[in-house]
Amino acid sequence: MSKVDTILEIDLFKKLLKFIKPYKHIFIGVLVAVILLAIFGALRPYILQQAIDQKIATKTIEGFLPYILIMAALLIAEVVCQLLFIYYSGYLGQSVVKDIRVKLFDHMIRFRMKYFDNSSVGVLITRAVTDMERIADVFGEGFFMIFRDLLTMLVVSIVMLYMNWELSFIVFLMLPLVLYATRLFQKYMKRAFEEVRTEVSNLNSFVQERITGMKILQLFTREETEYKKFQEINSRHKKGWLKTVWYNSIFFPIAELSSSITIGLIAWYGGLNTVIDQTASLGDLTAFIMMIPMLFRPLRQIADKFNTLQMGMVAAKRVFRVLETTSQIDDHGTLEVSHFKGHISFKEVRFSYVEDEEVLKGISFDVEVGETVAIVGATGAGKSTIINLLNRFYDIQKGTICIDDINIKEIKLASLRTQIAIVLQDVFLFADTILSNITLNNPNISLEDVEQAAKDIGIHDFIMSLPNAYHYNVKERGAMLSSGQRQLISFLRAYVTNPSILVLDEATSSVDSYSEQLIQNATYKITKGRTSIVIAHRLATIKKADKIIVMDEGKIVEIGTHQELLKIEDGFYRNLYEVQFLKEEVL
């Protein structure tokens, strides 16, 4: 690992430690348990050595019982410390992860839409779920375990030197080999785990997208093609994991062999010393044979736990990369608005999703209070972009957008969006009840409010016809409802909030005639007396609009009423009407 990588790892660990502050007492308690475990573990061989040399070797039974009692006390103390260590290190890890996960989710839900446009849902799910569990292991199975093992090795080494420096020297001769092997192991395992985490993200992303789009796959009979793609990704995932298995299969036998060779040397050299010149005692031999695994086993465990630590640090790096992403809409507004009159003004607004590729090219228009304005134009003309900008899902590059003569950037973001309700063409419903999908768990909206709103726009009977009525679970993405029914739910969701301004991306082309009639009635009801902007797909909506804005290639080319625009010879709207809407009127 280079010096730069080491510094980055330290900085990353410091970021994790900041989340420990609320649990510093638990952290300190776990460290104390670790220290006691190391001391108690090293004392047992020493007490055994004393018992052998002082009592067993001299065949003295008197005073032997205290040694047994001390050994028993040390074992009980070790068990208690081990229990406290395992529980509270795990508790600490899960507590820290809970806090990081909450912060991550809170951070992500405030990202601007552009971030989600360029990000894979599967990758973000991996960051919020799988990667978090790996971070928990940093504390539960990584950092504290490694610290415990290192401390055990240090204490055992000191006890060895105190007992017999010659035998200690033999043991320490083998340590550099194991330490070098451990270092190489850590280096290659880190690379392997980075590869594994990348492939896990790719796998999650691929599976999530294919399951979401399963209807399209089956409709176009792409099952075999996607199956082969999945096999490729899964093979790369397997290859990454097999690297870790290969490194483990090399390292652990080397560590085990080193330990066995060391025990053999101690038995040979120590045995000779005991018999010939008596520079080593029988108790020394017994204690050293007992302590060698305590010295070498932690090295193997450190390598194993280092795998866990590496996976956790790789996961933490990915999570903090998201946490440190600054993709939020600047919410520097100071005005809290409880109600808008509803006057909307776009002045020379320019905007692009991609730099140097303008979607809106200096558009200007006004929507008067209580007016319903329809926006029409070909696909890609910039109609939906206007909706996104009005709600500040994206920020404009030039120009101003005002509501009631107030620049929307001066209004607090939550206050702005509370007063603007949107009914999107692509309706999204959560796997929950109809009531929860309408209120979005807003405690200020009661069931009675929802029922009254449903009656107002004429869809109460439709909801009551469903099993469990308002408590009917629509399942994921509203799969239990038709597209028309989902659209009706979205209308009610917008209406029940009593917004000052309403924006409709009206789409009824794929719904049955009954649902379409209900939607048309609902549209009329919720736009009545309220400033409304409608991206119009149906002739009926356009005719009822107070004003029509015609867009083409990011520019406003015509503005007027239905009748006024039809009078323009070879006009955009007239051509659009004759090509698209006239057929509908004839039908």
Side-chain angles (χ1 to χ4, degrees):
M1 187 184 295
S2 68
K3 186 177 180 180
V4 174
D5 289 336
T6 303
I7 293 172
L8 290 176
E9 291 289 334
I10 293 172
D11 289 342
L12 185 61
F13 198 73
K14 285 180 180 178
K15 293 174 185 176
L16 283 175
L17 289 178
K18 289 180 181 178
F19 287 90
I20 292 179
K21 286 184 179 179
Y23 313 99
K24 60 183 179 181
H25 297 301
I26 296 175
F27 182 77
I28 293 170
V30 173
L31 287 180
V32 170
V34 167
I35 293 170
L36 291 176
L37 279 171
I39 294 173
F40 294 153
L43 278 176
R44 281 190 294 108
Y46 177 73
I47 298 299
L48 181 62
Q49 181 258 349
Q50 292 294 309
I52 292 173
D53 288 344
Q54 300 297 325
K55 302 299 176 182
I56 296 176
T58 60
K59 298 181 180 180
T60 305
I61 195 67
E62 186 180 349
F64 189 68
L65 182 61
Y67 288 105
I68 296 175
L69 293 176
I70 292 172
M71 288 287 287
L74 287 173
L75 284 171
I76 293 171
E78 270 195 89
V79 169
V80 172
C81 288
Q82 187 80 352
L83 186 150
L84 294 174
F85 167 71
I86 292 173
Y87 177 78
Y88 282 105
S89 62
Y91 178 88
L92 180 63
Q94 290 301 325
S95 298
V96 168
V97 161
K98 181 205 71 174
D99 294 344
I100 297 176
R101 184 182 280 125
V102 168
K103 184 174 182 179
L104 178 68
F105 185 77
D106 181 63
H107 190 67
M108 288 196 301
I109 60 177
R110 300 177 195 281
F111 281 156
R112 64 183 72 192
M113 289 299 109
K114 185 177 181 180
Y115 180 86
F116 297 104
D117 293 340
N118 298 324
S119 301
S120 165
V121 175
V123 169
L124 292 178
I125 291 172
T126 301
R127 300 292 172 269
V129 181
T130 310
D131 283 344
M132 286 298 175
E133 294 306 318
R134 300 287 77 79
I135 293 175
D137 293 340
V138 169
F139 300 98
E141 299 179 21
F143 169 72
F144 288 118
M145 290 286 192
I146 291 174
F147 181 68
R148 184 193 68 179
D149 291 339
L150 288 174
L151 194 60
T152 299
M153 289 175 63
L154 176 63
V155 175
V156 167
S157 298
I158 293 172
V159 172
M160 280 182 169
L161 285 168
Y162 175 76
M163 289 172 59
N164 191 309
W165 70 268
E166 290 185 26
L167 296 183
S168 300
F169 181 73
I170 294 173
V171 175
F172 296 157
L173 277 177
M174 294 298 296
L175 277 180
L177 173 64
V178 182
L179 287 171
Y180 179 71
T182 303
R183 184 65 174 168
L184 283 178
F185 179 70
Q186 292 170 351
K187 177 182 177 182
Y188 286 104
M189 284 301 285
K190 182 183 178 184
R191 294 178 186 173
F193 278 128
E194 285 179 344
E195 184 178 331
V196 167
R197 296 310 308 153
T198 299
E199 295 306 329
V200 167
S201 294
N202 292 338
L203 199 60
N204 285 345
S205 179
F206 184 89
V207 172
Q208 189 273 333
E209 288 182 353
R210 269 58 186 182
I211 290 176
T212 302
M214 188 59 68
K215 185 180 291 185
I216 298 298
L217 296 185
Q218 294 184 357
L219 184 63
F220 289 91
T221 62
R222 307 304 296 166
E223 295 94 335
E224 190 64 30
T225 301
E226 296 304 318
Y227 171 71
K228 289 178 180 178
K229 287 183 181 178
F230 180 78
Q231 280 187 313
E232 292 174 6
I233 296 175
N234 206 27
S235 294
R236 292 200 301 269
H237 178 256
K238 173 188 171 184
K239 184 179 178 182
W241 271 112
L242 283 179
K243 282 185 181 180
T244 68
V245 174
W246 171 244
Y247 297 145
N248 279 317
S249 66
I250 294 175
F251 173 76
F252 287 108
I254 291 175
E256 189 66 39
L257 181 63
S258 301
S259 177
S260 299
I261 291 173
T262 306
I263 291 175
L265 288 173
I266 289 294
W268 169 71
Y269 183 79
L272 287 177
N273 286 1
T274 301
V275 173
I276 297 173
D277 55 15
Q278 297 183 344
T279 55
S281 67
L282 185 62
D284 289 341
L285 279 177
T286 306
F288 267 75
I289 290 172
M290 190 174 175
M291 284 190 291
I292 286 171
M294 296 175 66
L295 190 64
F296 280 80
R297 190 181 300 118
L299 277 176
R300 299 200 304 272
Q301 290 175 345
I302 286 172
D304 191 30
K305 298 307 176 186
F306 190 82
N307 296 348
T308 302
L309 184 62
Q310 290 284 48
M311 289 186 71
M313 296 303 280
V314 169
K317 186 186 297 183
R318 295 173 185 273
V319 169
F320 280 110
R321 191 178 298 145
V322 178
L323 278 171
E324 291 164 2
T325 299
T326 53
S327 186
Q328 289 83 0
I329 291 288
D330 295 328
D331 188 11
H332 300 311
T334 56
L335 298 178
E336 190 83 42
V337 181
S338 58
H339 182 75
F340 288 127
K341 293 179 181 177
H343 176 258
I344 301 171
S345 175
F346 276 59
K347 296 179 182 177
E348 291 297 320
V349 173
R350 293 183 177 274
F351 173 76
S352 58
Y353 294 103
V354 180
E355 192 175 353
D356 298 327
E357 294 182 17
E358 280 193 333
V359 177
L360 297 183
K361 304 172 182 178
I363 67 168
S364 299
F365 67 89
D366 285 272
V367 182
E368 302 302 327
V369 176
E371 197 173 46
T372 296
V373 172
I375 303 177
V376 300
T379 301
K383 306 185 296 297
S384 295
T385 300
I386 290 175
I387 295 175
N388 291 331
L389 297 182
L390 185 62
N391 279 272
R392 292 197 66 199
F393 289 141
Y394 301 85
D395 272 336
I396 60 177
Q397 277 83 45
K398 292 183 180 179
T400 57
I401 302 175
C402 297
I403 299 177
D404 295 345
D405 298 321
I406 304 171
N407 192 318
I408 60 174
K409 290 186 177 181
E410 298 175 8
I411 304 169
K412 289 184 178 179
L413 199 58
S415 178
L416 172 71
R417 290 177 178 172
T418 299
Q419 296 302 315
I420 303 174
I422 299 182
V423 178
L424 295 172
Q425 180 178 351
D426 182 19
V427 179
F428 186 93
L429 298 181
F430 296 94
D432 208 333
T433 63
I434 286 179
L435 179 63
S436 294
N437 272 287
I438 293 168
T439 65
L440 296 177
N441 299 311
N442 185 340
N444 298 319
I445 303 175
S446 66
L447 174 59
E448 290 72 23
D449 294 332
V450 174
E451 288 178 342
Q452 185 57 53
K455 291 173 183 177
D456 289 345
I457 64 175
I459 65 172
H460 176 70
D461 292 340
F462 142 65
I463 296 175
M464 293 303 294
S465 68
L466 297 171
N468 298 322
Y470 287 89
H471 299 288
Y472 178 61
N473 193 309
V474 300
K475 304 301 180 183
E476 189 172 356
R477 301 182 69 88
M480 302 304 291
L481 301 177
S482 69
S483 58
Q485 290 171 331
R486 290 195 295 270
Q487 193 76 291
L488 288 169
I489 297 301
S490 70
F491 269 81
L492 183 53
R493 180 161 60 191
Y495 181 68
V496 78
T497 61
N498 192 27
S500 303
I501 297 170
L502 185 68
V503 181
L504 303 178
D505 190 352
E506 185 208 19
T508 57
S509 58
S510 60
V511 303
D512 59 87
S513 57
Y514 174 71
S515 296
E516 181 178 350
Q517 186 59 47
L518 288 177
I519 290 172
Q520 291 295 346
N521 293 338
T523 302
Y524 173 74
K525 179 66 179 180
I526 66 177
T527 58
K528 187 177 180 181
R530 181 182 282 117
T531 301
S532 306
I533 297 177
V534 182
I535 295 180
H537 299 269
R538 307 294 279 181
L539 181 63
T541 304
I542 295 172
K543 283 186 173 181
K544 291 177 182 176
D546 299 304
K547 184 164 57 184
I548 300 170
I549 297 175
V550 186
M551 298 191 66
D552 183 59
E553 296 183 355
K555 297 179 181 179
I556 295 176
V557 290
E558 293 170 355
I559 297 180
T561 65
H562 173 67
Q563 294 299 330
E564 289 171 347
L565 294 176
L566 283 180
K567 293 177 182 178
I568 301 175
E569 291 291 336
D570 201 29
F572 279 88
Y573 179 76
R574 182 169 175 172
N575 290 335
L576 185 66
Y577 172 78
E578 290 174 351
V579 172
Q580 179 178 342
F581 299 124
L582 190 58
K583 292 180 181 179
E584 179 188 333
E585 189 172 40
V586 171
L587 290 173

